[in-house]
Amino acid sequence: MGLKKNFVLGAAAIAAAAISYSVPSNVEAADFYKGKTITVLIGRGPGSGADTTARMFTKYWSKYIPGKPNIIAKNMKGSAIYNFLYEKAKPDGLTITFTPYGPAAQLTKAKGFRADFGKMPFVGSLYNPALLYVTTDQMKTATDLNSMKAAKYGGQQPTGRFDLFGRVTLDLLNADYKYITGFGGAKKVLNAMRRREVDIQTIGLNLYRLAAEKPLVKTGKAVPLYYFPWPGYTETKSEIFPDGIPSFQEYYKKVKGKELSGELFETFKWMSTTLNGMSYSAFLPPKTPDNVRNILRASYAETVKDPALRADQRKAFGYNFPYIDPKKGAEVIASLVNAPEKYRKFMINYIAEGAKAKIKKKKKK
């Protein structure tokens, strides 16, 4: 059976699982969640972009869930969040992850990661674009790429989409940089940027607007270069980047004077479809009943449209997060499940190479 046919069948199976369920009556739905408490797990630390976004969302989510259950948010570190959901959380609709989607860990069978996104019911997701910016110690202007010399790129973890997209695009640009990973969160890299311990960061647009744009970019200490486009959402530039930050492809053409091509660029395009996009995703434990999953999907979709939530997002970040529905989510997950072997091998080798560049932590006295 050919690869293309495998993908079509895989996508169809996941899509069918995503949209086929029994719709509970209003009475059943209200009775199910009335008087209960839902725990939303966030796989990033307090005050991070992910934490701020998820807590802002959960503030309004209960209003659209029949029975209006109490919702509490809880932070959990690293891959433990998905391992817990996959292996230990009860499939009763009372435990949900709302955290950055991490498909590369599953794709490469990363050490310590045991979850399977294809078996965890998808609820919904918010798309948060990511961009790369550089200190003006290295580049005075966004197009002054040749002035970059041994720039230190602060990474979070080798399997993370921020690190992967930052490294691949800098490699395509043939930029002079050194990758350092292990900071353990975008906020920690941001603080290192402020202290001039690193020169480059890939950052989510929400945290960029919340904590990097004003103190670093507006003061002339850093300059944004480009964002990483996602084929699933083509209006990123006009709707979310009104300040003229170009896509990576646009930036490359501007500084190199030619279009992108070659094997690494083909890999980048595959990464853009499979690893980018589903920024903050809500999943349920395996075997969660379809009707319970449906209640949460419907309420998630309604919460996205809440006027007060949208006003909070615009006030904090300057934009509203695009919504990724179950059908689109199924397509993205299918692209992971049916990943071509050549890309899986590339990711394994690329991540292993990046893992060698861990930051040296200071010993406690």
Side-chain angles (χ1 to χ4, degrees):
M1 185 178 287
L3 176 62
K4 185 175 181 181
K5 189 173 181 181
N6 264 325
F7 176 83
V8 171
L9 290 175
I14 294 174
I19 62 178
S20 63
Y21 46 74
S22 58
V23 181
S25 68
N26 290 333
V27 174
E28 288 174 330
D31 288 347
F32 182 81
Y33 273 112
K34 187 175 181 180
K36 294 183 179 179
T37 297
I38 296 174
T39 299
V40 173
L41 301 175
I42 305 169
R44 293 293 185 271
S48 63
D51 180 69
T52 303
T53 301
R55 288 178 185 273
M56 189 179 291
F57 190 93
T58 56
K59 176 182 174 182
Y60 298 97
W61 197 356
S62 180
K63 182 166 65 171
Y64 297 96
I65 301 175
K68 293 182 172 54
N70 181 42
I71 297 180
I72 59 173
K74 181 179 179 181
N75 299 93
M76 183 176 285
K77 291 184 178 181
S79 61
I81 188 171
Y82 280 121
N83 290 341
F84 176 81
L85 190 78
Y86 187 68
E87 299 174 332
K88 297 182 179 180
K90 295 180 180 179
D92 55 8
L94 299 181
T95 304
I96 312 168
T97 58
F98 197 139
T99 195
Y101 178 56
Q106 178 179 330
L107 179 70
T108 60
K109 295 181 173 61
K111 184 179 180 180
F113 188 89
R114 300 182 297 275
D116 185 339
F117 288 109
K119 296 179 180 178
M120 296 184 293
F122 174 72
V123 175
S125 185
L126 301 179
Y127 170 44
N128 183 42
L131 65 131
L132 184 143
Y133 70 118
V134 182
T135 63
T136 48
D137 292 342
Q138 286 285 340
M139 295 176 63
K140 297 301 181 185
T141 67
T143 56
D144 193 17
L145 187 65
N146 289 334
S147 69
M148 185 185 291
K149 302 297 180 185
K152 296 184 290 293
Y153 177 2
Q156 299 180 49
Q157 54 183 351
T159 57
R161 73 169 176 125
F162 284 7
D163 292 29
L164 290 168
F165 277 91
R167 290 175 61 204
V168 165
T169 52
L170 289 170
D171 287 344
L172 283 164
L173 288 165
N174 197 28
D176 188 354
Y177 79 101
K178 179 182 180 181
Y179 174 62
I180 306 169
T181 189
F183 281 92
K187 195 173 180 181
K188 291 183 179 180
V189 182
L190 174 59
N191 290 335
M193 288 281 286
R194 288 171 174 164
R195 296 190 298 265
R196 291 298 195 268
E197 293 174 1
V198 297
D199 306 298
I200 307 171
Q201 178 181 17
T202 298
I203 190 171
L205 182 59
N206 56 351
L207 186 59
Y208 173 80
R209 288 273 165 80
L210 194 67
E213 187 174 46
K214 187 176 180 179
L216 292 177
V217 176
K218 297 297 184 182
T219 58
K221 296 176 183 177
V223 59
L225 301 194
Y226 49 80
Y227 71 87
F228 309 102
W230 178 44
Y233 185 70
T234 57
E235 291 77 31
T236 306
K237 183 176 179 180
S238 61
E239 293 187 10
I240 296 182
F241 286 104
D243 43 7
I245 300 174
S247 69
F248 170 65
Q249 289 93 320
E250 291 170 330
Y251 179 84
Y252 183 94
K253 186 176 181 180
K254 187 172 184 178
V255 298
K256 296 292 186 179
K258 60 182 180 180
E259 299 286 352
L260 275 158
S261 62
E263 188 174 346
L264 186 57
F265 176 54
E266 293 302 315
T267 301
F268 168 78
K269 289 194 293 184
W270 170 82
M271 288 171 59
S272 297
T273 299
T274 306
L275 309 182
N276 202 9
M278 293 201 336
S279 310
Y280 301 131
S281 298
F283 283 91
L284 289 161
K287 300 181 180 180
T288 298
D290 290 354
N291 60 339
V292 175
R293 177 195 63 185
N294 179 58
I295 295 169
L296 294 171
R297 282 181 173 171
S299 60
Y300 191 103
E302 288 301 312
T303 307
V304 170
K305 299 181 288 185
D306 185 276
L309 169 63
R310 294 177 69 81
D312 282 352
Q313 290 176 345
R314 287 193 299 272
K315 182 179 180 180
F317 312 122
Y319 65 99
N320 294 121
F321 297 90
Y323 164 58
I324 301 171
D325 61 33
K327 183 178 179 181
K328 183 62 183 178
E331 293 174 1
V332 175
I333 295 168
S335 67
L336 166 67
V337 173
N338 298 283
E341 184 62 17
K342 67 175 181 178
Y343 294 134
R344 192 183 74 83
K345 287 183 177 179
F346 170 84
M347 296 298 295
I348 289 172
N349 293 331
Y350 202 63
I351 288 171
E353 179 186 328
K356 297 176 184 177
K358 284 188 177 182
I359 185 173
K360 294 181 179 178
K361 295 183 179 181
K362 295 180 180 178
K363 294 182 179 180
K364 293 182 180 181
K365 294 182 179 180

